[in-house]
Amino acid sequence: TAVNNGVIKVAAADSIPSAATVAGSTGWLVLDGGTTSGMLDIIGFDLTVNALSGLGGTVVGVITNSSSVAATNRITVLNAASTTYNGLIADNTAGAKTALFITGPNTLTLKPPNYNTFSGGIVVSNSSLAFGNAQNESLYSPGTGSITLLGTNASLYLAGSGGSTGPTYAGLTNDVTLPA
């Protein structure tokens, strides 16, 4: 499912086909930016996709949860391929939270242009999550929730070259949990 302009509002849990819901599905979610942006509104439903990606631009793609119910809804990324998402992930100010669950053999790289505002947390289960990957890129934020690494192969990468021109992580105040 590719969204380059406009908004897709899901009407049910797992309404974008993925290998978890439809055998053999490519199940990618692509939210591209540019001069216009694509937006996915999960409206209080959990969603599973094989991969998440999106290019940046003047504006960026957005994943949001506009539900008015004060609950946490999860986007599960099966990491069927190593991808980069240059967009934002946000909660609803009315109380709905968005969480990110990453599992699978590859790496998801998040490169938001500024602070993500989701607070449901991130779980990385036997997979890899990276923030940024190049020199001269700005601050990356995984939202305000905790980051939990599960399994024997969970990895978190704070990429970039560091120094005065690399990314900064001064705003990174998330708890990182490493269960036994």
Side-chain angles (χ1 to χ4, degrees), residues 79 100 102 106-110 122-124 127-131 142 147 149 154-158:
N79 264 357
L100 189 59
I102 302 162
N106 294 296
T107 301
L108 172 62
T109 301
L110 296 179
I122 299 173
V123 174
V124 181
S127 196
S128 296
L129 174 65
F131 294 104
I147 301 171
L149 303 176
S155 300
L156 176 64
Y157 297 99
L158 301 177

Side-chain angles (χ1 to χ4, degrees), residues 58-143:
T58 307
V59 294
V60 296
V62 176
I63 297 171
T64 190
N65 185 356
S66 70
S67 175
S68 59
V69 176
T72 300
N73 298 102
R74 176 170 88 174
I75 297 175
T76 299
V77 180
L78 301 176
N79 264 357
S82 290
T83 58
T84 299
Y85 177 58
N86 288 288
L88 296 174
I89 303 172
D91 288 341
N92 179 357
T93 56
K97 294 182 179 181
T98 306
L100 189 59
F101 185 89
I102 302 162
T103 186
N106 294 296
T107 301
L108 172 62
T109 301
L110 296 179
K111 292 183 8 175
N114 50 35
Y115 290 104
N116 274 310
T117 61
F118 72 104
S119 61
I122 299 173
V123 174
V124 181
S125 177
N126 290 310
S127 196
S128 296
L129 174 65
F131 294 104
N133 65 356
Q135 188 174 357
N136 298 320
E137 290 179 340
S138 60
L139 176 69
Y140 305 101
S141 170

